Amino acid sequence: KIEMLFPQQWWPKNTGELDLALYTLNAALEKPPSHRQGEIAFSNWVVEMDDPAIIACYASGDFAERIELMADKEVEDLAVEALRSALVYDGSNIASIPDPVRTFCTRWQSDPFSMGCWTVAPVSSEGIKDASAFQLFNTKNERNLFFAGEHTCDGSTNGLDIGTVHGAFNSGITAATLLLQNRELKN
């Protein structure tokens, strides 16, 4: 994930996501023509906050592996170039995109505790409905088994966002709280 803090919000109000249809602009990120779907560099951006102005680009596959080897400043420059080329054009309601104040890139593949793992929902899954089953189990549970992690997040409460680190963290707090409440009821 590439998180970028901007000096002010430049995207339209009430924007939740920016999906860009573009191919890589820089040879540092170019791929062979047989690239897999969903791995176009800098294509999926999520508005994390309007104030402060923070957006995040989710990276996966080959794209994530390539940016992991780059310095944050190099990733920042390429990301801003991609955003500007896709969003600043004649007729756009975005006049300009300022330089970010700060950029942070996660590097999950080299993290010794995660080693690049992620959750993948199979084609037959029902998405949020399946994730909700974990939360339902946790609230109906009378034993000492509780589920936590980004795969258990269903958006049922603020911060339980599927596929995110903060969702994983918040689900851990929620599961631990339920576990302690459960133990107090038994004592």
Side-chain angles (χ1 to χ4, degrees):
K1 180 164 72 169
I2 305 160
E3 293 181 299
M4 300 177 85
L5 169 65
F6 287 90
Q8 73 271 350
Q9 178 184 342
W10 51 262
W11 50 86
K13 190 175 180 146
N14 298 320
T15 299
E17 197 167 316
L18 301 167
D19 291 315
L20 311 181
L22 54 85
Y23 286 92
T24 57
L25 305 169
N26 187 292
L29 290 173
E30 284 183 7
K31 316 176 62 139
S34 63
H35 69 276
R36 291 179 293 217
Q37 182 178 0
E39 291 187 3
I40 299 173
F42 307 112
S43 61
N44 181 251
W45 293 86
V46 173
V47 174
E48 290 192 344
M49 302 178 93
D50 287 337
D51 186 24
I54 300 173
I55 62 171
C57 176
Y58 288 88
S60 63
D62 294 338
F63 173 46
E65 289 176 10
R66 286 189 305 277
I67 65 168
E68 184 144 341
L69 301 174
M70 300 165 72
D72 283 2
K73 180 62 176 151
E74 186 179 4
V75 174
E76 176 184 293
D77 291 346
L78 291 170
V80 170
E81 179 184 356
L83 288 167
R84 286 178 180 155
S85 70
L87 299 171
V88 179
Y89 58 91
D90 190 32
S92 167
N93 62 350
I94 299 172
S96 66
I97 298 175
D99 289 332
V101 175
R102 188 175 321 141
T103 298
F104 175 76
C105 302
T106 58
R107 289 178 169 77
W108 294 112
Q109 189 165 5
S110 59
D111 180 295
F113 300 106
S114 68
M115 299 180 71
C117 63
W118 66 89
T119 299
V120 176
V123 173
S124 63
S125 77
E126 296 187 45
I128 294 299
K129 184 177 175 186
D130 288 347
S132 295
F134 289 108
Q135 296 305 319
L136 181 63
F137 179 89
N138 285 354
T139 58
K140 305 284 186 204
N141 186 5
E142 294 182 13
R143 295 176 297 281
N144 289 324
L145 174 65
F146 292 84
F147 291 95
E150 56 88 14
H151 63 288
T152 69
C153 300
D154 63 358
S156 61
T157 58
N158 192 23
L160 280 183
D161 301 320
I162 195 164
T164 64
V165 173
H166 66 269
F169 179 81
N170 288 334
S171 74
I173 291 173
T174 301
T177 301
L178 290 169
L179 174 66
L180 292 173
Q181 289 171 352
N182 191 31
R183 293 196 65 184
E184 285 176 10
L185 290 174
K186 288 183 176 182
N187 292 335

